[in-house]
Amino acid sequence: MSLFKSIRVGLLISIILLINPLQADEDNNLSWKYAEYVAAGIIYHEIGHYLIDIWGIPVFGNEEDIADSFIVYALLKNKSQYPTEELYSQWVDDYHIILTETLDKYYFKTLLGRDFKEEVISHSSDKRRFYNLACFIKDGNEEYFDNYISERNISHLLEEKCNSKYNELVKSWKYFVKDSWVGNGKTQNKVIPIFENSNDEFYMKVKVYLENSNIIRDALRRFPIELPQNLNVVFKTCDGTVNAFYYPDLKEIVMCYEYLNDLRNLKSDVLRLKASL
């Protein structure tokens, strides 16, 4: 290649990076989509905290585990719950990927040796959270999630441990949800994503990227439970904090841009590890 052509190619790559630095290559694109799906799952977790708060749900164990169970209750379905295969397929295509990608957050962290919380106060270890959720999805829809569980070679660890777990979960949440489950897209009050500006140039690009993506928007727009009021989910920079929060006083959820970037980095690390094997 001539020097002139090399310069042209270099300029073209630079322009592409400038236009969309978050999707500069296929792996980066996959990593950001992964981060969005997990963020949607984490938001459902925080909505679990919100419902525990506004409905006064008694907590006798770890509230974080109960909030995790809400992700499964809200998103997992099986064929028996739908009159047609088409309606069932529409649901699983849109929502079951949120479940599996969220589970992989805990699976990946354990795989990469980043879960060091064997004894914790407010949260279970990532390993325990993964197995709790894996047990729910296996029991709730084994036919659909069999490949996911088999590919991670954990079937033998879940045998005889998951029976009735999903049914107990559904029964417990139904007691409080009652008639508030009105169905996909039929609610009057909404879960509303709000993307705040940032003083950080990189996170401003993250903000613009999220505004132009439908993954999180669609997951929240079709939330099936009628809430007593609109629930805001505020995306913002959090001074370096890598987390998401539910604030009872404000009745709102905050998702840190830093958390999304951390999820992106987690997936990128796994892709690099896979490529090196």
Side-chain angles (χ1 to χ4, degrees):
M1 183 183 293
S2 69
L3 177 61
F4 178 69
K5 287 185 177 179
S6 297
I7 293 172
R8 286 183 62 187
V9 170
L11 286 173
L12 179 59
I13 293 173
S14 298
I15 291 170
I16 292 172
L17 291 172
L18 182 63
I19 293 172
N20 197 346
L22 304 184
Q23 293 180 288
D25 56 58
E26 184 177 357
D27 281 357
N28 206 25
N29 186 25
L30 287 173
S31 296
W32 275 110
K33 286 187 180 299
Y34 169 80
E36 290 181 84
Y37 282 120
V38 179
I42 298 302
I43 290 168
Y44 271 71
H45 169 93
E46 298 301 334
I47 293 174
H49 285 298
Y50 168 73
L51 296 178
I52 290 168
D53 174 31
I54 63 169
W55 286 341
I57 298 175
V59 176
F60 300 109
N62 189 327
E63 183 173 324
E64 297 297 330
D65 290 343
I66 298 172
D68 273 352
S69 76
F70 179 74
I71 307 173
V72 180
Y73 173 73
L75 297 178
L76 190 149
K77 300 298 174 188
N78 53 59
K79 289 181 180 179
S80 66
Q81 296 170 288
Y82 287 85
T84 68
E85 178 82 22
E86 182 181 3
L87 289 174
Y88 167 72
S89 296
Q90 287 176 356
W91 178 276
V92 299
D93 287 346
D94 291 337
Y95 289 102
H96 282 188
I97 188 173
I98 297 174
L99 274 174
T100 53
E101 299 292 58
T102 302
L103 261 72
D104 269 349
K105 169 182 179 287
Y106 306 115
Y107 178 75
F108 290 158
K109 289 182 72 176
T110 303
L111 182 70
L112 295 170
R114 297 180 185 175
D115 176 20
F116 303 104
K117 297 184 296 181
E118 294 302 324
E119 295 183 5
V120 291
I121 297 174
S122 62
H123 290 72
S124 296
S125 69
D126 290 322
K127 184 183 295 184
R128 177 178 171 182
R129 294 177 83 173
F130 172 73
Y131 281 110
N132 283 347
L133 291 169
C135 205
F136 284 135
I137 67 170
K138 173 182 171 60
D139 190 46
N141 192 337
E142 185 171 5
E143 178 184 0
Y144 182 88
F145 291 105
D146 180 63
N147 285 340
Y148 177 86
I149 290 169
S150 297
E151 286 172 359
R152 282 146 188 80
N153 196 28
I154 59 171
S155 296
H156 63 290
L157 298 173
L158 301 178
E159 288 178 2
E160 300 180 0
K161 295 181 180 180
C162 303
N163 293 340
S164 300
K165 293 288 187 181
Y166 177 69
N167 290 336
E168 290 172 6
L169 176 156
V170 170
K171 183 178 179 181
S172 297
W173 275 106
K174 268 189 173 180
Y175 179 82
F176 295 98
V177 174
K178 298 176 182 176
D179 295 333
S180 295
W181 188 291
V182 297
N184 186 358
K186 297 179 181 178
T187 58
Q188 297 298 312
N189 294 320
K190 304 298 181 182
V191 183
I192 303 172
I194 298 172
F195 303 100
E196 288 193 356
N197 290 334
S198 172
N199 292 326
D200 185 286
E201 182 180 356
F202 174 76
Y203 289 122
M204 269 301 292
K205 291 170 183 171
V206 173
K207 180 240 186 190
V208 173
Y209 169 78
L210 293 173
E211 284 180 320
N212 288 281
S213 173
N214 289 324
I215 291 176
I216 292 173
R217 287 184 181 278
D218 285 349
L220 303 186
R221 177 174 57 83
R222 294 179 288 199
F223 186 73
I225 296 173
E226 186 64 71
L227 303 174
Q229 61 193 46
N230 288 337
L231 174 61
N232 291 337
V233 179
V234 181
F235 291 75
K236 59 187 291 187
T237 46
C238 301
D239 297 324
T241 300
V242 179
N243 215 332
F245 308 92
Y246 165 62
Y247 289 101
D249 293 343
L250 300 175
K251 297 292 186 289
E252 76 175 20
I253 292 167
V254 168
M255 171 66 69
C256 300
Y257 289 135
E258 293 92 331
Y259 194 10
L260 279 140
N261 190 43
D262 187 69
L263 293 169
R264 185 280 303 259
N265 289 335
L266 176 65
K267 180 68 171 183
S268 295
D269 289 345
V270 170
L271 290 174
R272 280 194 291 270
L273 176 63
K274 184 178 179 180
S276 70
L277 297 177

